[in-house]
Amino acid sequence: MYKTISVKKVSDDVVQITLDRPQVKNAVSFDMVGELKEAFQGIKEDDSVKLLTLTGAGDVFCSGGDLHDFHGDLGEQNAFQMLYGMKEVLYELARFPIPTVALLNGPARGGGTELATACDFRYIKEGVTCGFTQGDLGLTTGWGGGTLLYHRIPNLHAYHWLLSSSLYDSNKLIDIGWVQGTYVDDVLEQLKPYTDKTVEQVRIFKQQYIRQQLPLSISTEMDEEVRRCSMVWDTPEHKEAIQKFLSAE
């Protein structure tokens, strides 16, 4: 059914989406953008689901955007249009009607860290590192994940992490509150505090959180983030970083 993701009910009330491009470190392609949107719609229509988990195939969560699709040779307007599809994915994931959990089975970089930030909660394998590495490519966050980060952790922690482009390990990520804990293979047992509630309960709790932290107006903030990223997309620094990466493949 899908080429870039897999969607599976891992229990009666939990659906897992797996980013399934391990040969390219689960990089997000344009096809994946469309398939994520389609999968979200189908999960929303299943009234039995209490929890959505998101993980990666193999030993990487997500390396960010596929640079063969999200390439550097675009002007500001075209870059905005290219980035906007994933902004829509992150916005829909952030305001999903049931709780969402990113299972960080391996590293997340750049847009992959933005994608994980769009989930309500994050659990991580011991020793895994994550980071907003866009700064090392002459960019800023461009899918709305920077905006969401300020709604997930204390503002100064968010600002420092984005500005420094640092890679944080699992212990640091727990310390700053971005990650709720580590997990082992039997993660469903750890998620029982969420899934032992009724569908009605989890939906009510999620709506409470959305009203407090993720109002409709956050979409406008995320749009502005995409616009600002598109303004620096065509810079020499970004083009040089992309060329260096592609030449090393």
Side-chain angles (χ1 to χ4, degrees):
M1 182 178 180
Y2 298 109
K3 296 188 300 182
T4 66
I5 64 173
S6 64
V7 181
K8 179 182 179 182
K9 252 193 170 180
V10 293
S11 73
D12 290 341
D13 46 24
V14 178
V15 171
Q16 182 159 291
I17 295 177
T18 302
L19 309 178
D20 196 11
R21 302 184 73 214
Q23 71 279 10
V24 288
K25 300 182 180 179
N26 299 320
V28 175
S29 64
F30 293 157
D31 286 342
M32 186 183 286
V33 175
E35 291 186 352
L36 285 170
K37 291 179 180 180
E38 182 180 340
F40 289 167
Q41 187 57 43
I43 296 166
K44 285 181 179 180
E45 293 170 359
D46 187 341
D47 293 335
S48 68
V49 180
K50 298 178 183 178
L51 187 71
L52 169 64
T53 62
L54 180 66
T55 193
D59 58 3
V60 173
F61 176 75
C62 178
S63 58
D66 188 330
L67 298 185
H68 293 283
D69 284 353
F70 293 87
H71 57 81
D73 192 24
L74 291 172
E76 179 179 336
Q77 187 56 41
N78 288 333
F80 180 90
Q81 293 171 351
M82 174 190 64
L83 295 167
Y84 199 79
M86 271 305 286
K87 176 267 172 177
E88 293 175 320
V89 167
L90 265 64
Y91 177 74
E92 188 169 353
L93 185 57
R95 289 176 52 88
F96 213 70
I98 57 174
T100 57
V101 178
L103 299 176
L104 293 153
N105 59 300
R109 299 287 186 267
T113 310
E114 292 192 56
L115 182 58
T117 300
C119 293
D120 299 334
F121 308 112
R122 283 147 297 281
Y123 288 83
I124 195 167
K125 287 285 184 77
E126 190 83 37
V128 164
T129 60
C130 301
F132 293 91
T133 52
Q134 292 90 335
D136 294 333
L137 295 175
L139 291 177
T140 57
T141 51
W143 292 346
T147 298
L148 293 173
L149 186 66
Y150 283 95
H151 292 260
R152 302 299 194 201
I153 62 175
N155 286 351
L156 196 57
H157 282 311
Y159 176 36
H160 179 269
W161 195 12
L162 292 167
L163 181 62
S164 67
S165 305
S166 297
L167 296 180
Y168 288 171
D169 65 17
S170 53
N171 291 328
K172 176 70 172 180
L173 293 168
I174 292 170
D175 286 345
I176 65 173
W178 189 73
V179 161
Q180 279 61 55
T182 58
Y183 79 96
V184 292
D185 291 335
D186 188 19
V187 69
L188 289 178
E189 189 67 28
Q190 289 181 254
L191 299 178
K192 273 192 174 179
Y194 308 143
T195 58
D196 66 4
K197 310 299 187 297
T198 66
V199 172
E200 291 76 14
Q201 283 177 296
V202 299
R203 287 178 177 267
I204 289 170
F205 284 131
K206 181 59 181 283
Q207 285 305 310
Q208 287 177 340
Y209 182 74
I210 287 173
R211 284 195 297 271
Q212 291 296 319
Q213 290 293 324
L214 302 168
L216 289 170
S217 59
I218 201 169
S219 180
T220 303
E221 296 178 44
M222 294 172 73
D223 287 354
E224 179 65 12
E225 179 180 326
V226 178
R227 187 184 70 81
R228 289 184 178 276
C229 182
S230 67
M231 290 171 62
V232 296
W233 195 267
D234 196 32
T235 60
E237 292 81 6
H238 180 222
K239 289 183 176 180
E240 182 180 344
I242 294 293
Q243 275 305 122
K244 184 177 180 181
F245 177 87
L246 294 176
S247 298
E249 287 191 321

